[in-house]
Amino acid sequence: SLNKGTAFTAAEREALGLSGLLPRHVNTQAEQVTRVLENFRRKPSNLEKYIDLAALHDRNETLFFRVLADHLEEMMPIVYTPTVGLACQQYAHIFQRSRGVFISATDRGRIEDALRNWPEPDVRMIVVTDGERILGLGDLGANGMAIPIGKLALYTAAAGIEPTACLPVVLDKETIVFRELVR
């Protein structure tokens, strides 16, 4: 969440041991946004655009949210509906890294532990899906994770919710006793 990509100044590069690991030219965030948009717009399909944005989210969260907030009308159909449905159908194939908590029947009695494993200590907003009836596509189970990730990204971009305060969760509601969640 602290990565600035090629926007690290020369002094920051020196202090953080990044000298020689980045091209010499320091890009402004605006220059980075321009580069991201050029690459994004070259993608041949909306799913490729989704994957491109997910990769950006993983490597430079600040830039991801700048692009999303500044180009919300263009990005919303990729980050959420309609593309998120296709992303859910392909989620197991396009998964890059975990961006939420997956709770299944095997976590019974240990749900609190699973939630404590989330690295951010000050969660203020949770979006939960049970993976069922995702946009009329049926039960997609854990692949439904793209839904809470997308919603929370939009809450951050459009409403200013701090991304570190957000937690996407997938529940296997068929086999989990919900009392465990409200303890």
Side-chain angles (χ1 to χ4, degrees):
S1 65
L2 301 176
N3 185 16
K4 293 167 48 174
T6 57
F8 284 108
T9 65
E12 289 170 328
R13 292 172 188 208
E14 186 66 34
L16 297 170
L18 298 173
S19 295
L21 300 179
L22 296 168
R24 177 54 74 201
H25 178 71
V26 175
N27 291 113
T28 66
Q29 190 175 65
E31 290 171 323
Q32 289 184 22
V33 167
T34 298
R35 185 175 62 235
V36 165
L37 288 173
E38 288 172 359
N39 290 324
F40 172 84
R41 291 172 180 152
R42 285 187 195 126
K43 300 297 176 195
S45 71
N46 285 347
L47 184 59
E48 289 297 320
K49 290 177 180 182
Y50 179 91
I51 293 167
D52 186 55
L53 287 176
L56 176 62
H57 196 178
D58 288 345
R59 75 178 175 273
N60 191 331
E61 191 171 77
T62 303
L63 183 57
F64 168 79
F65 284 113
R66 176 79 290 129
V67 169
L68 192 58
D70 289 353
H71 301 275
L72 195 56
E73 190 173 324
E74 180 180 5
M75 300 295 150
M76 190 180 311
I78 305 302
V79 172
Y80 205 61
T81 58
T83 307
V84 75
L86 182 56
C88 286
Q89 289 176 308
Q90 299 295 316
Y91 196 75
H93 298 287
I94 64 174
F95 180 86
Q96 296 174 20
R97 83 168 185 90
S98 184
R99 287 214 149 268
V101 174
F102 297 85
I103 299 175
S104 70
T106 60
D107 296 308
R108 187 176 206 149
R110 300 175 306 148
I111 292 174
E112 193 173 331
D113 294 336
L115 292 170
R116 280 201 180 109
N117 285 334
W118 186 246
E120 298 298 337
D122 191 24
V123 172
R124 295 170 182 234
M125 180 171 283
I126 300 173
V127 174
V128 179
T129 184
D130 61 9
E132 286 191 12
R133 296 182 2 204
I134 301 287
L135 304 172
L137 299 171
D139 187 353
L140 299 177
N143 289 345
M145 180 57 87
I147 295 291
I149 290 171
K151 280 186 180 182
L152 288 169
L154 293 176
Y155 295 163
T156 295
I161 306 295
E162 181 65 35
T164 58
C166 297
L167 174 59
V169 176
V170 171
L171 294 178
D172 177 354
K173 77 172 186 83
E174 297 295 320
T175 55
I176 292 177
V177 177
F178 286 109
R179 288 184 302 242
E180 290 186 55
L181 289 175
V182 294
R183 271 198 270 143

